């Protein structure tokens, strides 16, 4: 922890003893002489809500009011989220100009909250900082959303159009317009594997890591289309070093590091316990967890990967997961359809195994592309069929999507809402003891990639065959396990 950072806390507070002893030297007793001394000497002051939480005697102390106006001093006021805030229109303390000076900034959690301050408290856009803190005010289920089927194309019923789309896509691939992204931030813990999930070995005639299977697929495409096809791998802080080491050991599968193969890390968010308190990890720092596959867009932009793509002349980017050993990342049909239909995104689907399969399905929500979770539609909707006997809502989202680089840049600058997941998390308690839970005890927050679809005017959906393009390795046994993936892979490749 930096030596010149202090936290103001009332030593009589019931929470004081929750602070580990080694950090208490950074605590300043509220309303003490040091509180005011450091207030005047600090370069920046971060507080909750307003000036009243920074220095409670603001309105009665002319020296403090003068200090607020010094240009070399900055104030940041953290808000609670619109869902928990009072209406601002009747709160004088929150009005622009009422204590808030030109060097004051309001930190809000979402666009919804930002608009609240602009409309009701007369703040300007430049007065506001939108953070990446979970946006609970966005995580509201829209019960009135109109859900309807989405149009799709069946890859094997395109007839004479098959060649037409293939030629369009192949031309773009040969011209070096395509890059592929593999989301590989997870560990193989659920599979009983100690290491990055991409290094998990699948027995397919001989043992081969998932990364190797994917690399072989890309290699075939590179040779077929005589194109480089840059590869971008999203890792996590937990597995980045091990992943890069694995690729180095395999000589990057013929790629050149930082020239046409790149590694970048996804974002993280704090984990909280059931009382809403942030957990402390074994390293003594805030316990963090990966922010879900929806963080891919922001990670690509923040890590300058989209800049590198632009430099290489990339226009289209396929994004898929590391755990699908049959993923077809280089598909001229999908790319040709996207280009011909003039859409900025296209996704692959497989037909639901049955009406009650617990998967998300492509649809249109309020007229825009979306993925609806199985829990969001009624049993009647799930069972509904067309005159041909097909499920009306039967196009499963398999996390195989193609995006124009411009749409990635746009979505990467617009944070997605977060969803909570109840997980097991090892942490350090207030007495400094390590706690290893036997059941879920904490919430992590994740963004879902498909939540970005709502920002698209339209997208193309291509139905593919499950046995040819979807063999996920998610569970140790049963459905979507190494056993089921192995059989699908071996059958497809005639092993």
């Amino acid at each position: 922890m930096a030596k010149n950072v202090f936290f103001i806390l009332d030593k009589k507070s019931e929470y004081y003893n929750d602070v580990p002893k080694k950090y208490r030297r950074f605590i300043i007793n509220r309303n003490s002489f040091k509180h005011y001394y450091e207030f005047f000497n600090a370069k920046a002051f971060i507080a909750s809500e307003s000036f009243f939480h920074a220095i409670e005697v603001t309105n009665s102390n002319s020296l403090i009011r003068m200090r607020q106006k010094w240009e070399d001093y900055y104030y940041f006021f953290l808000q609670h989220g619109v869902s928990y805030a009072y209406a601002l229109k009747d709160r004088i303390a929150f009005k622009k100009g009422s204590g808030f000076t030109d060097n004051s900034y309001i930190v809000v959690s979402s666009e919804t909250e930002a608009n609240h301050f602009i409309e009701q408290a007369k703040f300007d856009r430049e007065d506001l900082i939108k953070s990446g803190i979970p946006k609970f005010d966005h995580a509201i289920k829209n019960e009135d959303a109109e859900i309807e089927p989405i149009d799709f194309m069946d890859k094997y019923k395109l007839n004479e159009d098959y060649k037409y789309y293939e030629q369009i896509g192949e031309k773009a691939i040969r011209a070096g317009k395509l890059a592929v992204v593999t989301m590989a931030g997870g560990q193989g813990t659920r599979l009983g594997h100690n290491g990055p999930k991409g290094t998990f070995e699948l027995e397919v005639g001989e043992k081969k890591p998932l990364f190797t299977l994917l690399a072989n697929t890309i290699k075939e495409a590179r040779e077929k289309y005589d194109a480089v096809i840059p590869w971008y791998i999203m890792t996590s802080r937990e597995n980045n070093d091990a992943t890069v080491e694995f690729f180095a050991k395999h000589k990057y599968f013929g790629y050149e590091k930082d020239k046409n193969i790149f590694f970048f890390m996804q974002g993280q968010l704090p984990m909280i316990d059931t009382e809403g308190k942030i957990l402390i990890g074994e390293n003594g720092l805030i316990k963090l967890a990966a922010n879900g596959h929806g963080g891919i867009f922001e990670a690509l932009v923040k890590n300058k990967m989209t800049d590198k793509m632009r430099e290489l002349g990339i226009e289209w980017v396929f994004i898929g997961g590391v755990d699908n050993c049959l993923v077809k990342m280089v598909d001229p049909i999908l790319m040709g359809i996207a280009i011909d239909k003039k859409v900025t995104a296209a996704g692959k689907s497989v037909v639901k195994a049955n009406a009650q399969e617990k998967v998300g399905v492509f649809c249109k929500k309020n007229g825009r592309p979306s993925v609806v979770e199985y829990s969001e539609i009624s049993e009647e909707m799930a069972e509904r069929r067309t005159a041909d006997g097909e499920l009306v809502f039967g196009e499963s989202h398999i996390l195989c999507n193609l995006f124009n680089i411009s749409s990635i840049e746009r979505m990467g600058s617009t944070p997605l809402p977060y969803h909570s997941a109840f997980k097991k998390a090892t942490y350090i308690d207030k007495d400094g003891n390590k706690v290893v839970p036997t059941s879920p005890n904490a919430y992590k927050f994740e963004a879902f990639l498909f939540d970005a679809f709502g920002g698209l005017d339209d997208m193309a959906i291509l139905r593919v065959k499950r046995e040819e393009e979807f063999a996920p390795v998610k569970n140790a046994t049963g459905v979507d396990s190494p056993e089921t993936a192995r059989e699908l892979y071996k059958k497809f490749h005639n092993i």
Side-chain angles (χ1 to χ4, degrees):
M1 183 177 288
K3 294 180 179 179
N4 59 345
V5 175
F6 298 98
F7 299 88
I8 297 170
L9 182 67
D10 189 340
K11 288 188 176 180
K12 297 179 181 179
S13 167
E14 60 181 302
Y15 302 113
Y16 181 79
N17 290 325
D18 290 344
V19 180
K21 290 183 179 179
K22 63 180 178 179
Y23 296 130
R24 291 183 190 175
R25 67 181 184 275
F26 298 107
I27 293 177
I28 294 175
N29 190 25
R30 194 175 112 189
N31 293 332
S32 66
F33 172 78
K34 192 172 183 181
H35 178 173
Y36 296 100
Y37 176 80
E38 295 297 350
F39 175 83
F40 274 89
N41 283 283
K43 290 294 184 182
F45 199 100
I46 302 173
S48 61
E49 289 201 12
S50 71
F51 278 107
F52 293 114
H53 287 204
I55 296 290
E56 293 188 54
V57 293
T58 296
N59 293 329
S60 60
N61 192 313
S62 60
L63 289 176
I64 293 175
R65 290 202 304 274
M66 179 181 68
R67 184 66 174 97
Q68 292 172 7
K69 298 177 182 179
W70 291 2
E71 292 182 358
D72 65 337
Y73 198 96
Y74 296 91
Y75 298 89
F76 300 92
F77 297 102
L78 313 179
Q79 305 307 311
H80 297 297
V82 150
S83 294
Y84 306 111
Y86 294 103
L88 301 177
K89 59 184 179 181
D90 298 320
R91 300 185 71 184
I92 297 175
F94 277 88
K95 290 286 193 292
K96 170 77 172 181
S98 299
F100 292 96
T101 57
D102 290 339
N103 49 352
S104 304
Y105 296 92
I106 306 296
V107 181
V108 296
S109 62
S110 68
E111 195 63 27
T112 302
E113 190 174 17
N115 290 333
H116 195 57
F117 277 85
I118 292 170
E119 294 168 7
Q120 295 199 21
K122 307 305 178 186
F123 282 91
D124 298 320
R125 174 68 60 175
E126 54 266 29
D127 298 325
L128 308 175
I129 297 175
K130 189 165 65 174
S131 74
I133 296 172
K135 295 166 286 301
F136 295 103
D137 49 323
H138 273 196
I140 299 173
K141 184 177 177 181
N142 185 355
E143 302 287 356
D144 300 321
E146 182 182 353
I147 299 173
E148 56 186 343
I150 194 168
D151 292 333
F152 67 90
M153 304 173 76
D154 191 320
K155 188 174 186 177
Y156 297 98
K157 293 182 181 179
L158 294 175
N159 303 320
E160 64 274 8
D161 288 335
Y162 188 99
K163 278 290 183 184
Y164 170 71
Y165 293 129
E166 185 177 44
Q167 289 172 357
I168 295 174
E170 183 174 329
K171 181 180 178 181
I173 294 169
R174 289 185 180 276
K177 303 297 184 183
L178 175 69
V180 296
V181 175
T182 297
M183 297 182 289
Q187 292 289 88
T189 309
R190 191 187 296 182
L191 303 173
H193 173 65
N194 183 26
K197 194 172 188 179
T199 63
F200 176 79
E201 294 181 333
L202 202 63
E203 177 65 64
V204 287
E206 59 179 301
K207 287 187 176 182
K208 291 185 179 181
L210 290 171
F211 278 135
T212 301
L213 299 180
L214 268 57
N216 290 344
T217 300
I218 300 173
K219 182 181 178 181
E220 290 176 8
R222 292 172 65 188
E223 293 174 349
K224 180 178 181 179
Y225 301 113
D226 190 26
V228 175
I229 311 176
W231 192 6
Y232 297 76
I233 294 103
M234 184 174 76
T235 65
S236 62
R237 294 188 184 280
E238 188 176 18
N239 74 10
N240 181 73
D241 291 347
T243 299
V244 175
E245 182 180 340
F246 172 87
F247 273 82
K249 181 180 178 181
H250 290 79
K251 298 181 179 178
Y252 299 100
F253 298 100
Y255 278 95
E256 294 182 65
K257 188 172 182 287
D258 297 327
K259 184 176 180 181
N260 47 38
I261 186 169
F262 305 89
F263 301 86
F264 64 101
M265 287 187 279
Q266 70 183 118
Q268 295 180 300
L269 292 169
M271 296 189 73
I272 63 174
D273 64 16
T274 54
E275 296 180 354
K277 294 181 180 179
I278 293 176
L279 295 180
I280 299 299
E282 296 172 68
N283 58 1
L285 302 176
I286 290 175
K287 180 85 173 179
L288 300 172
N291 61 358
H293 51 62
I296 182 64
F297 305 113
E298 185 177 14
L300 282 168
V301 173
K302 281 191 172 183
N303 288 285
K304 307 297 183 182
M305 293 297 115
T306 46
D307 291 346
K308 296 181 185 298
M309 291 175 181
R310 290 281 189 188
E311 292 170 4
L312 294 172
I314 300 301
E315 295 180 6
W316 294 91
V317 183
F318 181 90
I319 300 177
V322 71
D323 55 9
N324 180 5
C325 64
L326 281 181
V327 62
K328 188 172 183 179
M329 293 180 276
V330 184
D331 190 339
I333 306 299
L334 183 70
M335 197 163 173
I337 290 173
I339 294 171
D340 181 71
K341 300 300 180 185
K342 294 180 172 58
V343 293
T344 57
K348 291 186 177 184
S349 70
V350 298
V351 179
K352 287 178 68 174
N354 56 69
Q356 298 305 321
E357 184 182 13
K358 294 182 177 181
V359 294
V361 295
F362 282 106
C363 68
K364 279 205 169 182
K365 190 178 289 187
N366 293 332
R368 290 183 175 271
S370 184
V371 169
V372 62
E373 289 295 325
Y374 65 90
S375 58
E376 292 184 74
I377 59 176
S378 65
E379 184 174 346
E380 184 275 326
M381 289 179 70
E383 296 281 358
R384 193 183 305 169
R385 295 182 181 272
T386 66
D388 297 329
E390 290 195 343
L391 292 170
V392 171
F393 296 97
E395 302 307 309
S396 302
H397 177 247
I398 59 173
L399 209 59
C400 293
N401 301 289
L402 179 73
F403 299 93
N404 185 276
I405 190 171
S406 61
S407 65
I408 291 177
E409 290 170 333
R410 185 175 63 254
M411 292 185 288
S413 62
T414 307
L416 298 174
Y418 293 110
H419 304 258
S420 63
F422 200 37
K423 302 284 186 177
K424 288 193 293 185
T426 300
Y427 68 100
I428 302 299
D429 66 16
K430 64 181 180 180
D431 297 317
N433 300 314
K434 179 180 176 181
V435 179
V436 181
T438 57
S439 60
N441 65 313
Y443 291 96
K444 65 173 291 189
F445 299 94
E446 302 173 302
F448 294 161
L449 179 146
F450 51 74
D451 278 334
F453 295 166
L456 303 169
D457 292 328
D458 201 1
M459 70 182 294
I461 308 299
L462 180 66
R463 176 191 285 182
V464 299
K465 292 181 179 178
R466 185 185 293 257
E467 61 271 24
E468 292 184 1
E469 299 198 34
F470 190 52
V473 184
K474 295 184 179 296
N475 307 308
T477 59
V479 179
D480 296 340
S481 65
E483 182 180 358
T484 58
R486 180 189 310 118
E487 292 308 310
L488 286 167
Y489 186 91
K490 291 174 70 174
K491 184 175 182 180
F492 178 73
H493 289 281
N494 296 314
I495 297 175

